[in-house]
Amino acid sequence: MLRKFIFKDTAGRRELVLPVTPENFQLDHGIRVEKINIHEAGDVNLAGGGALAQITINCIFPENDYVFSRAEDTPYNYVNTFERWSDRHTVLRFVISDTTVNLPVLVENIAYGEQDGTNDVYAAIRLQEYRELDAMETERASTGNKPRASDRGSSGGSDQTYEVKYGDTLCAICRRYYGSDKPAVYTALAKYNGRSNPNILYAGEVIKIPSRSKLGV
């Protein structure tokens, strides 16, 4: 079965599937490693945080009807869509069907052109994984200031609510409120809010944030 390369603009409520399945794809996964030199000890490698994935997709937007194509638009309308997403810094949900690839991305660049007189457009789309920048909390004991109340779910009482902002994901919301972005947690939150797909949120909607004990995870 041919895989589908799916781009979901949850804010704009649009889903785009590449009309022709690319021949291959590759994602990078790893951590940042910083090399420092310590006097008399020499070079030392320090493991840092996770590196964001980089993805390049070589694809075709066909002008002609091919048996292997599922084109629903003209070649340059596809190109214009990716250009708009890039120019507007739109956070997309990138999914490859029947794989574990499902992550928020930004369109860093699209390069395209024609090459064989058929009016088909060949494109290279470069994606960068997106990570929400959480505000860092600091506390100095010498000031005598008390730490602010946590915004994570309490152990009981009424549910909190949260209005979804542009670019939000359930994964990031769970990290903020429960201190965990594991699939079991955000899947449970999706189920608690009566949704079958934890990967789709719409800006402006309000979701319930119960205590973690209510989620059972």
Side-chain angles (χ1 to χ4, degrees):
M1 177 183 294
L2 290 177
R3 303 196 188 282
K4 293 183 179 180
F5 285 58
I6 305 167
F7 296 84
K8 298 180 180 180
D9 177 1
T10 55
R13 303 193 180 190
R14 177 176 181 183
E15 181 175 296
L16 182 153
V17 179
L18 291 185
V20 179
T21 299
E23 293 183 356
N24 55 68
F25 70 91
Q26 181 174 335
L27 279 78
D28 297 327
H29 177 87
I31 61 172
R32 297 291 183 186
V33 177
E34 182 178 1
K35 179 180 289 187
I36 64 173
N37 185 276
I38 300 177
H39 182 60
E40 295 184 352
D43 291 341
V44 177
N45 286 325
L46 299 179
L52 296 175
Q54 302 178 37
I55 311 118
T56 298
I57 300 172
N58 294 300
C59 61
I60 178 174
F61 301 133
E63 172 68 23
N64 303 281
D65 292 328
Y66 300 113
V67 295
F68 52 81
S69 169
R70 46 177 170 260
E72 298 180 352
D73 213 336
T74 64
Y76 285 99
N77 279 346
Y78 280 110
V79 169
N80 290 339
T81 296
F82 280 99
E83 288 181 332
R84 284 197 305 271
W85 282 339
S86 179
D87 294 342
R88 297 175 182 177
H89 308 166
T90 303
V91 179
L92 305 171
R93 175 63 57 171
F94 174 54
V95 178
I96 301 179
S97 64
D98 301 314
T99 73
T100 58
V101 178
N102 186 331
L103 67 163
V105 297
L106 296 167
V107 179
E108 182 179 12
N109 175 266
I110 177 171
Y112 59 90
E114 301 179 18
Q115 61 186 34
D116 50 18
T118 61
N119 297 331
D120 296 333
V121 173
Y122 294 82
I125 304 169
R126 189 163 65 242
L127 308 173
Q128 291 282 355
E129 183 180 2
Y130 172 80
R131 180 180 295 160
E132 183 178 284
L133 182 61
D134 292 326
M136 298 181 63
E137 300 175 22
T138 59
E139 176 189 350
R140 296 183 179 178
S142 60
T143 65
N145 293 336
K146 295 181 179 180
R148 70 179 181 86
S150 172
D151 59 358
R152 296 180 182 174
S154 61
S155 59
S158 302
D159 295 345
Q160 298 184 61
T161 59
Y162 176 75
E163 182 177 343
V164 176
K165 306 295 190 301
Y166 178 77
D168 274 341
T169 64
L170 276 183
C171 177
I173 292 171
C174 286
R175 185 166 61 246
R176 181 184 308 158
Y177 283 91
Y178 304 117
S180 173
D181 56 7
K182 293 183 178 179
V185 179
Y186 64 75
T187 300
L189 182 60
K191 184 177 180 181
Y192 188 87
N193 280 273
R195 59 181 65 237
S196 59
N197 190 336
N199 298 318
I200 297 180
L201 289 177
Y202 298 111
E205 69 174 310
V206 177
I207 61 174
K208 294 181 289 186
I209 309 291
S211 65
R212 186 161 177 174
S213 60
K214 287 185 179 181
L215 294 183
V217 292

